[in-house]
Amino acid sequence: MTRYIDIRKNTYLDSVSLMSMSTKANAVEGVTQALLGMATPMNKEVLANVGVHDPAIDAARPSDLMIVIDAADDLVEDAIQAVNDILARKSRGAGDTAEVRYRTLDGAFSEVPDSNLVLISVNGAFAAREARKALVAGKHVMIFSDNVSVEDEIELKSLAHDKGLLLMGPDCGTAIINGTGLAFSNAVRRGSIGIVGASGTGSQEISVRVHDFGGGVSQLIGTGGRDLSAEVGGLMMVDAIEALAADPETEVIVVVSKPPAEEVAEKVLGVLGATGKPAVVCFLGSPRTESGHANVQLVSGTKPAALAAVLATGVDESTLDLHALNLPLIEEVRAKLAPEQRYVRGLFCGGTLCDEAMFAALATFDNVYSNIQKDPSYVLGAADPSKEHTFLDMGDDDFTDGRPHPMIDPSLRLQRLVQEADDPEVGVIAMDFILGFGSHEDPVGVTIPAIEEAKAKAAARGQHLEILGYVLGTDLDTPAIADQVAQLEAAGVTIASSSTNLGLLAREFVAKGDH
Amino acid sequence: MSITSLFSTGLKPVNLGLDMFAEDLTAQGVAPVRMDWTPPGGGDPEIIAALGRLERPELAERIDAANEEAVSRVLAAQPFLEGFGQAIDTVPGMTRRTILHAGPPISWERMSGPMKGAVTGALVFEGLAKDLDEAGELAGSGEITFSPCHEHQSVGSMAGVTSASMWVHKVTNRTHGNTAYTNLSEQLSKILRFGANDQSVIDRLNWMRDVFGPILAGAMELNEGGLDLRLLLSQALHMGDEAHNRNVAGTTLLIQALAPYILETDFTTKEKREVFDFVASSDYFSGPTWMVTAKAAMDAAAGIEDSTVVTAMCRNGVDFGIRVSGTGDQWFTGPAQQVIGPMFAGYTEADSGLDMGDSAITETFGIGGFAMAAAPAIVALVGGTVQEAMGYSRTMNAITTTNNPNVTIPALDFMGVPTGIDVRKIIETGILPLINTAIAHKDPGIGMIGAGIVHPPLEAFQQAIVTLADTIGA
């Protein structure tokens, strides 16, 4: 043990800093005791009480700094250096700028009064209360959270309506407001097409297709998937359509949804009719074919919706690459599949993408199973093995319970992919890859090993397994779509150019030319 | 803002939840306001339900109005130092055999080590026991009345032990007419209020009783106008004090105001010199003065029906107690916490007693930890940076009703100190008041060993919100 005593004449440090420095000095390796203090009578007494006596200390004056370090013999030099560094305050790094974070919305609003929209993604049990606060404060709201009761949804939407505010959601995954994507969204050109979606990935897909056709999006408003139910009655859909009708930047309005309650569909179409603006409606899977309004066009899928919208802005169809179905490709794939490979297995992140592929299959086949099937006799649970044609929305609650969405965490989908490859009756595995804000940074990259494993399994029993991929994204997204497509092609995956084409190709590959 | 006008305005989002969404917004050049949110009431359904009842619009309106009244009284209060007197002659309900103590009520048996040390020292000082052993027996005999300072219009720092012949400040809130008391600073280290009680402590108390108190009292008799303490306090904050742990400026201002009158008293020059030397021996002389200033202001806000404003926070080394305006004199308690901060050389956390003292009345009023940004020189107490100190003061805005325009923080563009702690906001935000305080040794007879920061236990506020919901929501 070595004792080091240093008296620094006329060196003043305030007592609080010294206490703090002493605490740090005592934590230095090798130090058994470090005492830093001004040489006041009280501090000298403290030193005496712990057995430190030295003539230099006796002689020191209150304006002198006393440094006493007891340290292991071999470490004393390092300890002195470390304590000197502490005294020189070298330990404090840059980056002292603490970011202000607010604990309550009221606190945030009072400090940032011009904030105008609140994006809520806290646990659903608490989301409604926060949304109510935001609306009361006059802010627009997007509720990403799910598990908000329908009663709360109706109350919040009525409150928003009364105050002239947006209440997007609950369970609303996407929006683009003034060119800024919120939650899950893609980087698309700004333009004159306004989208109102009661389906998240459906809205994303239309925005991407619009971009792909050279058009742009003025606003994309997500209403939450329940908005067009009989209970909620399209409360937000109607307000959003009217807002787009009044928006001078919006020339064409696109509405996308799963099939709405019939009376709600009627209401929405009426509101669209009254806008006088060209409107395109895609009620996926709905049997309705006529809108009843001259300016409102009903279409069957997301790609036709985007195309109709772009054409309605005055673009000449002959200038567009429509990505027609590749018929020779269909023949080629059919030829590679063995006769028993009759079925499609769809493993989806995007609910609407799953829906669209499933409806394409249902147009030809009856034996289509899914966790989102309307017909109860064809419903599969998350734990059930796949059966005949199976389309799984792996972003649905039964798969995401207690785990992140597959757009963020693909592990469950990777397992399922390898598992499906064990079934010799499977001809095609269809998959979506969703790029953009909120998504996994490299959704294709993480999937390639599982794709290779699946293909190898089929090859081992002498079969060709067709993996059909669709990448939802734009050239402006990170990662860019071209990089992701190139990775898939290198792994032998066939690429569909849209959600709509994905469904059609998957169906046709296994159709055996028998219809 | 209507939906269409949103479309023609810059988007300014607030992100409540997943951080990745905030990062995506930032990447798009639209940096969101970010939140550090936790579920209200710690997620406890009973507490959320109580909060929810108080949030019903008709109740919330009544509460807001009552709180407005409470804080307007705090802001309007004008505490003036009127003089000094001995506790037996001035403090309401004081008797020769009464010992006032800090914090909520506590029996002798449950008292912490330092409080027991202070009590026995005071009994010796008062001549009620010949030594500490006898004092200990007397304290446990039932012949001594123990009572919280707060129940006698008083506050006491650390152990808060106040006995009959000790001198106290007399401070009157001239706006509302109420008076408050607190004893004199014994200065720092080995002193009664930290539980030390040897002969040096008793000798000092004797000198304070025989010289210090009488000179201060004599000085104030010559000052007929009294001293405007709020004004002095406000100046002290502008000079770098937060008026709980740092009292350098306030002490200078206070003794400067008293000095001319001290000089005019009939005491000897030697005695006057002793007073000045004693005051100069520590920066803490004015500490109790700001406590009683705060007490005089907060008492004016007590007992307002429907108000959820906290009027006292205090601790006895075992329990932390709060009082709320709308529930009057009722105490809500939880366990006293460990104070975290640097220690004097030779001591460790294992030596420290739990949080103690009525000094948190300063934070209740809005100074101390709440005014940390005014006192950058003491941020080292929390091992933090000046930026963080700024953040502490701003953060306290989230749990308070208003800002005090009479007591401001220059570095925050003269923001008034956050004032009027609202129980509802504590429950909603999960933010607890930040208290700057000292650390006493856990054993009797030793004294101060450090300083740091501490938070009250959430339980006290949870009890309060449930009682408030039952009272106001009934």
Side-chain angles (χ1 to χ4, degrees):
Chain A
M1 178 75 65
T2 305
R3 169 164 294 163
Y4 165 84
I5 296 180
D6 182 15
I7 306 295
R8 298 195 189 167
K9 288 283 176 199
N10 290 317
T11 302
Y12 176 78
L13 286 167
D14 66 278
S15 59
V16 167
S17 297
L18 284 169
M19 282 163 71
S20 166
M21 289 171 169
S22 285
T23 305
K24 287 182 193 148
N26 276 293
V28 168
E29 194 192 353
V31 169
T32 49
Q33 175 169 255
L35 303 163
L36 310 175
M38 300 306 294
T40 59
M42 183 185 123
N43 283 341
K44 287 185 186 179
E45 194 188 320
V46 166
L47 288 181
N49 287 346
V50 294
V52 179
H53 301 279
D54 193 274
I57 290 174
D58 297 340
R61 300 183 49 77
S63 54
D64 301 339
L65 174 66
M66 306 184 295
I67 302 167
V68 178
I69 301 169
D70 288 344
D73 297 338
D74 53 330
L75 291 171
V76 73
E77 290 304 320
D78 291 344
I80 292 166
Q81 186 55 49
V83 172
N84 281 332
D85 285 349
I86 290 166
L87 282 166
R89 303 175 198 249
K90 282 183 187 163
S91 56
R92 181 140 306 158
D96 278 353
T97 316
E99 183 193 22
V100 181
R101 287 196 177 217
Y102 302 95
R103 299 290 288 257
T104 63
L105 285 178
D106 291 338
F109 299 154
S110 72
E111 294 288 313
V112 193
D114 59 339
S115 59
N116 50 22
L117 184 145
V118 182
L119 169 55
I120 298 173
S121 54
V122 299
N123 184 307
F126 306 109
R129 186 169 172 276
E130 301 298 328
R132 197 172 292 120
K133 279 174 173 292
L135 291 172
V136 167
K139 315 294 181 184
H140 302 280
V141 174
M142 172 169 172
I143 307 178
F144 178 84
S145 325
D146 52 10
N147 291 314
V148 173
S149 74
V150 72
E151 293 76 21
D152 279 331
E153 177 172 349
I154 292 167
E155 189 209 317
L156 292 168
K157 285 185 169 169
S158 303
L159 178 59
H161 174 79
D162 291 346
K163 299 182 72 94
L165 296 166
L166 281 176
L167 189 283
M168 297 186 276
D171 201 4
C172 173
T174 187
I176 301 174
I177 302 295
N178 301 352
T180 301
L182 299 164
F184 297 147
S185 54
N186 298 92
V188 298
R189 206 177 294 108
R190 282 210 82 177
S192 60
I193 295 171
I195 303 169
V196 191
S199 88
T201 43
S203 305
Q204 270 185 276
E205 169 68 7
I206 290 177
S207 74
V208 165
R209 289 279 70 76
V210 162
H211 178 89
D212 192 39
F213 287 132
V217 173
S218 59
Q219 307 288 345
L220 191 168
I221 300 168
T223 63
R226 277 194 309 229
D227 195 72
L228 298 186
S229 66
E231 292 140 292
V232 183
L235 279 172
M236 193 40 52
M237 178 69 79
V238 168
D239 284 1
I241 290 170
E242 286 176 347
L244 291 176
D247 175 30
E249 304 297 320
T250 300
E251 286 177 43
V252 178
I253 301 171
V254 180
V255 165
V256 58
S257 168
K258 294 176 188 177
E262 194 46 39
E263 68 276 21
V264 182
E266 205 57 48
K267 180 164 143 194
V268 167
L269 293 171
V271 173
L272 280 169
T275 65
K277 289 190 180 183
V280 179
V281 176
C282 172
F283 289 146
L284 275 173
S286 162
R288 185 188 268 272
T289 52
E290 291 299 324
S291 80
H293 301 274
N295 62 324
V296 183
Q297 190 181 345
L298 278 181
V299 296
S300 60
T302 51
K303 179 178 163 186
L307 179 61
V310 171
L311 295 179
T313 63
V315 172
D316 176 359
E317 185 166 356
S318 66
T319 64
L320 299 178
D321 178 358
L322 299 179
H323 303 293
L325 273 193
N326 185 340
L327 299 176
L329 172 70
I330 291 171
E331 289 308 322
E332 197 182 309
V333 173
R334 281 180 182 172
K336 287 186 199 165
L337 297 180
E340 70 275 18
Q341 290 182 281
R342 286 171 292 163
Y343 297 123
V344 178
R345 298 286 154 84
L347 305 175
F348 289 88
C349 301
T352 304
L353 305 186
C354 181
D355 244 352
E356 191 162 22
M358 181 175 77
F359 286 127
L362 277 169
T364 302
F365 311 115
D366 296 325
N367 49 346
V368 177
Y369 293 82
S370 172
N371 61 323
I372 55 171
Q373 249 281 19
K374 287 266 185 295
D375 184 339
S377 42
Y378 291 96
V379 170
L380 279 185
D384 296 336
S386 299
K387 216 169 169 182
E388 303 177 18
H389 298 293
T390 293
F391 292 82
L392 297 176
D393 171 11
M394 302 190 78
D396 200 49
D397 292 348
D398 42 352
F399 285 97
T400 57
D401 194 21
R403 57 188 308 142
H405 195 278
M407 274 162 72
I408 302 166
D409 173 11
S411 53
L412 202 61
R413 193 165 81 138
L414 301 183
Q415 284 172 25
R416 189 86 185 209
L417 166 59
V418 174
Q419 211 177 306
E420 298 298 341
D422 286 332
D423 186 343
E425 292 187 331
V426 171
V428 176
I429 295 179
M431 301 180 82
D432 58 350
F433 299 89
I434 302 181
L435 310 183
F437 300 114
S439 292
H440 191 279
E441 58 188 8
D442 182 12
V444 167
V446 290
T447 315
I448 294 285
I451 289 174
E452 284 168 348
E453 190 182 342
K455 279 184 163 285
K457 276 186 169 180
R461 57 173 183 261
Q463 281 185 333
H464 167 77
L465 176 63
E466 182 67 21
I467 305 219
L468 177 62
Y470 167 58
V471 184
L472 193 171
T474 73
D475 49 335
L476 303 177
D477 277 322
T478 308
I481 186 167
D483 301 341
Q484 296 281 296
V485 165
Q487 280 192 69
L488 285 172
E489 284 176 339
V493 175
T494 301
I495 305 295
S497 61
S498 65
S499 167
T500 304
N501 282 9
L502 178 78
L504 296 175
L505 284 174
R507 178 184 80 196
E508 293 305 315
F509 285 164
V510 294
K512 311 291 177 199
D514 54 1
H515 64 284
Chain B
M1 183 190 288
S2 74
I3 302 175
T4 35
S5 55
L6 172 67
F7 296 161
S8 53
T9 316
L11 184 66
K12 186 124 196 182
V14 175
N15 186 57
L16 178 65
L18 299 172
D19 256 355
M20 89 184 171
F21 291 153
E23 279 145 28
D24 285 340
L25 285 166
T26 306
Q28 296 176 78
V30 181
V33 177
R34 295 175 85 149
M35 306 282 299
D36 194 3
W37 181 90
T38 49
D44 179 326
E46 188 202 359
I47 306 299
I48 297 175
L51 179 64
R53 281 164 73 188
L54 296 177
E55 281 177 337
R56 291 203 301 259
E58 67 281 6
L59 287 191
E61 214 167 282
R62 262 166 56 198
I63 295 168
D64 289 345
N67 288 351
E68 210 48 55
E69 171 65 18
V71 293
S72 74
R73 292 196 196 177
V74 175
L75 304 191
Q78 295 183 80
F80 269 69
L81 179 63
E82 307 287 4
F84 295 88
Q86 281 187 288
I88 187 69
D89 302 327
T90 50
V91 175
M94 194 69 194
T95 73
R96 287 276 164 205
R97 297 178 92 77
T98 296
I99 297 282
L100 303 186
H101 62 79
I106 188 165
S107 64
W108 163 254
E109 290 71 25
R110 288 188 69 233
M111 282 181 190
S112 67
M115 185 170 279
K116 282 185 167 168
V119 166
T120 51
L123 293 175
V124 171
F125 163 66
E126 291 292 342
L128 295 170
K130 69 174 189 317
D131 57 28
L132 295 172
D133 287 344
E134 196 179 299
E137 279 171 37
L138 175 61
S141 72
E143 287 177 34
I144 300 299
T145 305
F146 294 105
S147 189
C149 296
H150 266 292
E151 297 186 357
H152 297 261
Q153 295 171 224
S154 301
V155 280
S157 50
M158 297 308 291
V161 163
T162 305
S163 60
S165 52
M166 290 180 182
W167 287 81
V168 296
H169 298 63
K170 288 193 285 189
V171 170
T172 297
N173 166 7
R174 290 192 180 172
T175 310
H176 305 101
N178 59 297
T179 301
Y181 307 92
T182 193
N183 48 14
L184 303 178
S185 169
E186 296 169 79
Q187 306 300 55
L188 285 181
S189 195
K190 199 173 187 185
I191 52 181
L192 190 78
R193 69 169 199 276
F194 282 98
N197 53 16
D198 66 10
Q199 193 56 43
S200 72
V201 173
I202 305 296
D203 290 346
R204 190 183 304 109
L205 290 174
N206 287 337
W207 175 82
M208 290 172 71
R209 178 191 61 208
D210 299 337
V211 180
F212 192 43
I215 289 186
L216 292 175
M220 282 308 294
E221 276 166 28
L222 296 166
N223 176 355
E224 289 174 4
L227 285 182
D228 185 341
L229 293 177
R230 189 181 69 181
L231 190 65
L232 292 183
L233 171 66
S234 177
Q235 288 175 328
L237 257 66
H238 283 196
M239 293 166 69
D241 284 357
E242 41 69 89
H244 185 166
N245 262 7
R246 180 180 166 91
N247 293 293
V248 186
T251 292
T252 312
L253 290 168
L254 184 60
I255 194 64
Q256 175 179 277
L258 290 168
Y261 304 103
I262 291 173
L263 292 177
E264 286 207 23
T265 58
D266 295 331
F267 291 83
T268 67
T269 302
K270 177 176 172 292
E271 287 165 327
K272 292 173 187 169
R273 171 68 192 258
E274 282 172 11
V275 166
F276 288 122
D277 282 345
F278 182 68
V279 170
S281 72
S282 150
D283 301 331
Y284 191 68
F285 168 63
S286 66
T289 316
W290 312 129
M291 285 171 56
V292 68
T293 304
K295 172 69 174 166
M298 297 317 298
D299 275 358
I304 296 171
E305 199 180 343
D306 298 337
S307 171
T308 57
V309 164
V310 176
T311 53
M313 297 192 288
C314 58
R315 13 347 161 218
N316 56 33
V318 177
D319 306 314
F320 193 110
I322 64 167
R323 280 174 159 181
V324 180
S325 180
T327 52
D329 293 342
Q330 191 172 347
W331 291 105
F332 304 103
T333 60
Q337 307 289 300
Q338 176 127 33
V339 183
I340 304 302
M343 317 285 266
F344 290 166
Y347 294 106
T348 70
E349 267 181 33
D351 300 315
S352 65
L354 298 180
D355 189 25
M356 188 170 75
D358 291 336
S359 58
I361 193 71
T362 55
E363 279 81 8
T364 318
F365 174 73
I367 52 176
F370 284 42
M372 195 85 137
I378 64 155
V379 297
L381 264 191
V382 293
T385 64
V386 172
Q387 285 278 3
E388 282 165 350
M390 300 294 165
Y392 288 133
S393 289
R394 283 207 197 92
T395 303
M396 292 299 109
N397 284 331
I399 55 168
T400 48
T401 308
T402 190
N403 295 88
N404 188 336
N406 304 314
V407 185
T408 62
I409 302 175
L412 292 180
D413 286 332
F414 295 92
M415 180 185 94
V417 295
T419 301
I421 299 168
D422 186 341
V423 174
R424 294 176 302 176
K425 294 184 177 182
I426 288 177
I427 296 300
E428 185 187 356
T429 62
I431 300 175
L432 289 165
L434 176 87
I435 297 169
N436 284 354
T437 200
I439 305 171
H441 197 286
K442 68 182 187 324
D443 297 327
I446 297 174
M448 177 175 177
I449 59 168
I453 63 166
V454 70
H455 299 283
L458 183 61
E459 293 94 315
F461 299 95
Q462 289 180 327
Q463 284 172 26
I465 198 93
V466 170
T467 303
L468 284 163
D470 289 346
T471 320
I472 302 174

